[in-house]
Amino acid sequence: MTPPFRADHVGSLLRTPAVKENRLRWKKGDITADELRAIEDAGIAETVKKLEATGMKSITDGEFRRDYFHLDFLKELAGVTVTGGIEANPNAKAAEDGFTPPKLSVTGKLSHQHDIQVADFNFLKSVVTQTPKVSIPSPTMVHFRGGRKAIDINSYPDMDEFFHDLARAYRQEIDHLYKAGLRYLQLDDTNLAYLCDPKMRAAAVERGEDPNELPRTYAALINSVIDGRPDDLTVGIHLCRGNYRSTWFAEGGYEPVAEILFNSINVDAYFLEYDDERSGDFAPLRFVPDNKMVVLGIISSKVRELENIDDLAKRIDEAARYMPLDNMCVSPQCGFSSTHHGNDLTEDDQWRKMELVVNTAIKVWGEA
C-alpha cells in the first residue's frame, strides 16, 4: 500500500518523561544540545516501537525535537523572526511555566539557509520498519497570523516576491528530504480551517485581508511548493482549528473553503478534523474529486474517553454518503502534543486511541 493508510495519524505524540525533563534542563543550560539529542534519540526509538506495535504503518518521530509544531521549523528559515506571545486564547489553559506561544514575523529576505528536518528524518528512517512520515508546517503559516503588517515592507514591498521566495525555500527543503529517502510528507495548516470561523474571517478583514480571496492565495502558494514533485512522493495536508493542551482556537464547518480546498490544492490527501460539532457536517466532502483521499479525524486526541467503535463506523458510513468509502481513511483529529506541553491524556490513553484507529480501519475496510 501507498500512503495515506487506512489507519493513519497526524504526527505529534506525547513526549516521554525523559524528553520533557531534559528539554527543560537544556533550556536552563544544564545539558548540551548533543546530550539532549541523544536523549531524544532514545525516546524516539522507544516510541516508534510502541507506535508500530499498534499496527500503524505511518510512523513519525512524534515531533519530540520540537517545542511547537510550526515555530521550530519556521524560525530556521532566513528572514523569519519569532518573538513575544500571541493574544490569549479564551479556551486555553495557562501553561505551567506561564509561557504563551510566540508570534512570527518576517524581518528580512526569506531563504533556505540549511537543512531543517533532514537529520531528524535520517534518524527516524534508521529506527522504523514501516513508512516514515514527516509533518512540517504549511507555508501559509508564515503569512496568516500577521498578514501584510508582519512582513517587513523594505524586504518585501511586493507580496508576489514574498510568496515566490517562501515557496522556493520550502521546495529546497522538500527536495533535500526526498533525496534523503522521504516518500510521505504532510503540511500542517491551521489557516484554511481558521477561515471557516466567522470570527477569524472578521479578524482577517481587520488585518486588511480578503477572507474570500485568501484560500485562493494559499492554494497558489501550496501548489508552487509541491507541483512538479516526484510521482512517488505522497503529500497530505492537515487542517486544524487549534490543539494546544487539548483546547481549540476556531470553529466552523468546511463549507466556506471546501470547493477551493479540495479542487484547487494539488495534494494527494486531506487530514480533516471531525471529532466534534466544531467541524460541522460531512456535506463539504461532496467537493472531493475521485483522485484524492480524505483521512477522517473522528477520534479525539483531546480527551481521555475512548470512542465506541460502532459509533465510529456509523460516522464513516455517514461520510460515505458524500464521497466513495474507498477514498477514505481514519485517524485522530490532530496530534497528541502539538506543543511540548502535550494534551490532557496519559501515554496509555494515547496508545489505546491509536489501537482504536487501527481496529476501526480493520472493521470498516478489512485492513489498516
Side-chain angles (χ1 to χ4, degrees):
M1 284 184 65
T2 57
F5 302 102
R6 294 298 186 194
D8 216 310
H9 70 113
V10 169
S12 67
L13 299 168
L14 294 171
R15 306 326 191 235
T16 63
V19 168
K20 289 190 77 165
E21 176 188 339
N22 285 287
R23 176 162 279 271
L24 196 57
R25 291 182 64 208
W26 168 70
K27 288 178 181 178
K28 292 177 179 178
D30 294 341
I31 62 172
T32 67
D34 286 344
E35 289 172 321
L36 174 62
R37 190 167 186 89
I39 293 163
E40 291 168 342
D41 286 351
I44 290 165
E46 171 193 342
T47 301
V48 160
K49 289 180 182 176
K50 293 179 180 179
L51 184 56
E52 292 189 340
T54 67
M56 280 280 172
K57 296 184 176 71
S58 169
I59 309 298
T60 70
D61 64 5
E63 301 176 12
F64 277 21
R65 306 188 200 275
R66 302 184 201 177
D67 273 341
Y68 294 87
F69 79 95
H70 57 323
L71 295 175
D72 296 73
F73 179 94
L74 296 173
K75 71 182 181 182
E76 297 302 321
L77 297 173
V80 169
T81 300
V82 174
T83 55
I86 61 173
E87 291 180 15
N89 169 19
N91 303 300
K93 309 172 184 68
E96 289 89 346
D97 56 7
F99 194 59
T100 55
K103 65 180 180 180
L104 178 151
S105 56
V106 176
T107 55
K109 287 286 192 180
L110 295 170
S111 68
H112 181 264
Q113 54 189 345
H114 56 249
D115 290 341
I116 303 172
Q117 290 293 140
V118 173
D120 297 349
F121 170 72
N122 282 333
F123 178 78
L124 175 64
K125 183 177 62 171
S126 75
V127 295
V128 301
T129 64
Q130 301 295 323
T131 301
K133 169 181 167 180
V134 172
S135 300
I136 63 174
S138 167
T140 70
M141 304 294 291
V142 183
H143 178 265
F144 181 75
R145 278 283 185 175
R148 168 75 264 191
K149 293 178 182 176
I151 299 167
D152 178 49
I153 193 72
N154 294 313
S155 299
Y156 290 108
D158 179 356
M159 287 299 291
D160 286 344
E161 187 179 355
F162 161 78
F163 287 119
H164 173 272
D165 287 356
L166 177 58
R168 181 177 58 189
Y170 261 76
R171 284 196 304 271
Q172 289 173 325
E173 176 70 15
I174 293 169
D175 179 59
H176 294 182
L177 281 165
Y178 180 83
K179 287 176 179 174
L182 179 69
R183 296 298 181 267
Y184 192 12
L185 176 74
Q186 178 180 294
L187 303 176
D188 289 328
D189 196 304
T190 62
N191 305 319
L192 289 161
Y194 285 2
L195 286 168
C196 300
D197 186 319
K199 296 187 296 296
M200 294 283 190
R201 293 174 68 86
V205 172
E206 290 177 9
R207 292 194 298 271
E209 304 289 348
D210 181 348
N212 294 316
E213 192 58 35
L214 276 176
R216 294 183 177 85
T217 300
Y218 290 159
L221 171 61
I222 292 168
N223 289 344
S224 66
V225 168
I226 64 173
D227 282 357
R229 66 187 179 277
D231 290 342
D232 61 346
L233 175 61
T234 298
V235 178
I237 188 169
H238 166 57
L239 271 65
C240 176
R241 293 165 179 79
N243 190 48
Y244 171 68
R245 302 188 74 217
S246 288
T247 58
W248 48 274
F249 285 79
E251 54 190 324
Y254 295 99
E255 200 70 31
V257 301
E259 195 161 5
I260 294 170
L261 172 68
F262 296 130
N263 291 283
S264 297
I265 300 180
N266 300 330
V267 293
D268 303 298
Y270 301 87
F271 285 73
L272 301 180
E273 277 193 320
Y274 266 119
D275 59 321
D276 61 24
E277 65 281 353
R278 289 182 307 107
S279 302
D281 61 24
F282 293 122
L285 299 180
R286 69 190 185 277
F287 291 110
V288 179
D290 289 342
N291 65 334
K292 294 188 177 184
M293 301 290 290
V294 166
V295 186
L296 295 173
I298 56 176
I299 293 161
S300 178
S301 68
K302 297 180 187 291
V303 298
R304 297 189 65 183
E305 181 183 357
L306 201 63
E307 292 82 353
N308 179 280
I309 192 168
D310 292 326
D311 292 341
L312 295 173
K314 288 176 185 175
R315 293 206 68 203
I316 294 169
D317 285 341
E318 290 172 22
R321 292 168 50 199
Y322 300 99
M323 65 174 292
L325 179 65
D326 200 46
N327 286 19
M328 290 188 286
C329 308
V330 66
S331 75
Q333 101 290 345
C334 196
F336 289 85
S337 193
S338 297
T339 72
H340 65 90
H341 311 90
N343 284 358
D344 294 339
L345 297 87
T346 67
E347 281 193 54
D348 285 344
D349 295 331
Q350 172 181 263
W351 299 127
R352 280 194 290 267
K353 294 272 184 173
M354 289 297 203
E355 288 170 353
L356 178 60
V357 173
V358 172
N359 290 335
T360 302
I362 292 170
K363 179 180 178 69
V364 173
W365 292 281
E367 62 184 6

